[in-house]
Amino acid sequence: MYGIYQVTSRDTLDSIAREVGISKEELKKLNGIVMDMDLQPGSFLIVPKYDNSYEKYIVKKGDNMYAIAKKHGVDYLSLLKLNGLDDGDFIYPEEVILIPRGKKAYVTEEETIRSISEKVGVPITELLMNNPDLVVLENQVVRY
């Protein structure tokens, strides 16, 4: 699972990499950065993200994403998006799949905080409390 990190004026590639628990080289590769550079405050980087609102599922021989989604009561296409997969992609034994815990909404194209609030029936203030770093982007997971 990946998140979005907004760069501040005091950030460097090294400091962000340490904060999210990966090497500077991994961070550069993830964001298509070829050489060291100064980051622009306000710009965004992709960073790995894991929190306790997801369960780690280890793929077993014979598993497929549709069966995993059905077993855990999760929407198949949403589970694919959450794990960075497309319909038809293969999964392999011992691979780790993230399964959402609790109630989650997946942001679709052109949604706003208001439309998400209406879709899930939760006030905007509660959505913002449950998602303090909310930047509404397509395929983002929003807790409610």
Side-chain angles (χ1 to χ4, degrees):
M1 174 77 186
Y2 296 96
I4 304 294
Y5 182 93
Q6 187 168 19
V7 176
T8 67
S9 60
R10 65 183 183 279
D11 283 328
T12 65
L13 286 171
D14 285 315
S15 69
I16 295 169
R18 272 193 308 276
E19 186 174 331
V20 300
I22 61 174
S23 73
K24 180 172 79 170
E25 293 308 312
E26 288 174 295
L27 182 62
K28 286 168 53 177
K29 183 177 178 184
L30 188 60
N31 287 279
I33 299 171
V34 179
M35 54 194 332
D36 285 353
M37 57 183 247
D38 290 333
L39 301 172
Q40 296 299 313
S43 63
F44 296 96
L45 293 175
I46 298 169
V47 294
K49 185 174 184 178
Y50 176 77
D51 60 37
N52 65 2
S53 60
Y54 299 97
E55 168 188 342
K56 288 183 179 179
Y57 176 82
I58 299 174
V59 176
K60 297 168 186 61
K61 185 176 181 179
D63 276 346
N64 63 62
M65 288 300 284
Y66 182 80
I68 293 170
K70 187 174 181 181
K71 177 181 177 181
H72 293 275
V74 177
D75 176 69
Y76 168 70
L77 293 176
S78 297
L79 187 62
L80 289 176
K81 286 181 182 181
L82 174 64
N83 286 281
L85 299 171
D86 291 317
D87 193 21
D89 282 353
F90 291 101
I91 56 173
Y92 301 94
E94 303 305 313
E95 187 174 345
V96 176
I97 301 294
L98 294 179
I99 310 285
R101 291 182 180 161
K103 295 182 177 181
K104 308 264 186 288
Y106 294 84
V107 178
T108 58
E109 204 172 328
E110 298 180 14
E111 281 194 302
T112 64
I113 293 175
R114 182 175 305 288
S115 68
I116 296 166
S117 168
E118 291 169 359
K119 177 169 79 172
V120 300
V122 172
I124 291 173
T125 53
E126 189 174 332
L127 278 180
L128 293 174
M129 254 181 18
N130 291 333
N131 302 276
D133 299 325
L134 184 62
V135 176
V136 180
L137 301 170
E138 186 178 358
N139 297 330
Q140 181 180 15
V141 179
V142 177
R143 283 178 255 166
Y144 66 99

